[in-house]
Amino acid sequence: MEKIILGIDPGTNIMGYGLIKVRDNKAEMMGMGVIDLRKFADSYLKLGHIFERVTGIIDAYLPDEMAIEAPFFGKNVQSMLKLGRAQGTAIAAAIHHGVPIHEYAPLKIKMAITGQGQASKEQVAAMLQRLLKLDQNDMCKFMDATDALGAAYCHYLQMSRPETGATHYRGWKDFVNRNKDRIK
C-alpha cells in the first residue's frame, strides 16, 4: 500500500511544504519547497495565496494525509494571531479536499527526527537528509521547507509506531543501534 503525506510549516512570510511517499513502510521524498508570501503587503491577500497554493499542491500530488506544525507560543500576540490564520488557511485547503489533518508540536517533530526537542533547524535538515538519503542538490535553501518535510516524516513515524505498540528506546544511541539499516 502506498500513502502520500503532505507536511506544512505555517508561516506568514515563507510557508514551507514537503511531501513524502510511503511504500512498503519506507519513506521517500517526493518534493519540497516554499510558498513565498513576502510580495503581498495585504495580510488577506497572503491568506488567499496560501489557500490557492496549498490547493494546487494537493491537486498536483493528491496526498492521503496532511501533517502540519502547530504554532509555538510566542510573546507577540499579534504575530501568533497572524500565524494561526496562515495555519488555519492551509488546514481549510486540506479540509476542502477531504484530506485528513494531523497537527504536531515543533518539539514533537524535532524529537521524532533528531531525538532531542531542542534541535536546531540545521540539525533537523541534516538528519532528514540522512534518513531520506537526499543529495545536497535536493535540499532547499529555506529551512521552512525542511521543517515541513520534518512534519511529514514525523507523521510517517507516528503511523509506523502508534503509541499503543510503540517501540521504546533508552536514548539516542539505542535508537541508532536498532535502526542502522535506516541511517546511512
Side-chain angles (χ1 to χ4, degrees):
M1 186 171 144
E2 188 175 282
K3 185 177 278 202
I4 297 172
I5 304 168
L6 167 62
I8 296 283
D9 178 37
T12 55
N13 289 319
I14 303 286
M15 179 175 277
Y17 67 89
L19 293 123
I20 61 170
K21 181 188 294 186
V22 179
R23 188 179 329 157
D24 298 327
N25 206 28
K26 290 190 175 105
E28 67 179 73
M29 182 186 76
M30 294 179 69
M32 69 173 149
V34 295
I35 301 168
D36 192 344
L37 304 162
R38 295 174 292 184
K39 64 185 172 205
F40 298 98
D42 183 83
S43 61
Y44 297 109
L45 290 177
K46 284 184 181 188
L47 297 177
H49 190 67
I50 290 168
F51 189 85
E52 288 172 7
R53 289 283 286 125
V54 173
T55 293
I57 292 164
I58 291 170
D59 287 340
Y61 291 96
L62 304 172
D64 298 290
E65 299 185 38
M66 182 171 89
I68 192 163
E69 186 174 302
F72 59 89
F73 295 102
K75 293 182 175 128
N76 187 329
V77 175
Q78 209 55 21
S79 293
M80 283 296 302
L81 180 61
K82 288 176 184 174
L83 186 59
R85 286 177 179 167
Q87 184 203 36
T89 301
I91 289 170
I95 290 169
H96 180 72
H97 285 80
V99 177
I101 301 137
H102 306 273
E103 186 177 52
Y104 296 97
L107 184 86
K108 176 138 182 124
I109 295 169
K110 290 176 181 183
M111 186 65 106
I113 306 298
T114 68
Q116 66 165 321
Q118 301 305 317
S120 69
K121 289 177 175 286
E122 291 79 11
Q123 288 171 312
V124 171
M127 186 57 80
L128 285 168
Q129 189 175 3
R130 277 187 230 117
L131 291 168
L132 293 169
K133 297 172 179 56
L134 302 176
D135 189 80
Q136 188 60 40
N137 296 333
D138 295 328
M139 300 305 286
C140 187
K141 71 176 185 172
F142 290 98
M143 293 290 172
D144 309 84
T146 50
D147 283 354
L149 192 63
Y153 197 82
C154 175
H155 183 63
Y156 155 69
L157 293 173
Q158 286 298 120
M159 288 174 13
S160 355
R161 300 170 206 261
E163 292 297 321
T164 55
T167 304
H168 296 283
Y169 301 99
R170 291 185 304 262
W172 185 236
K173 282 184 180 180
D174 186 33
F175 171 83
V176 171
N177 287 334
R178 291 200 217 173
N179 293 281
K180 286 183 181 180
D181 59 314
R182 291 176 52 198
I183 303 171
K184 296 209 181 200

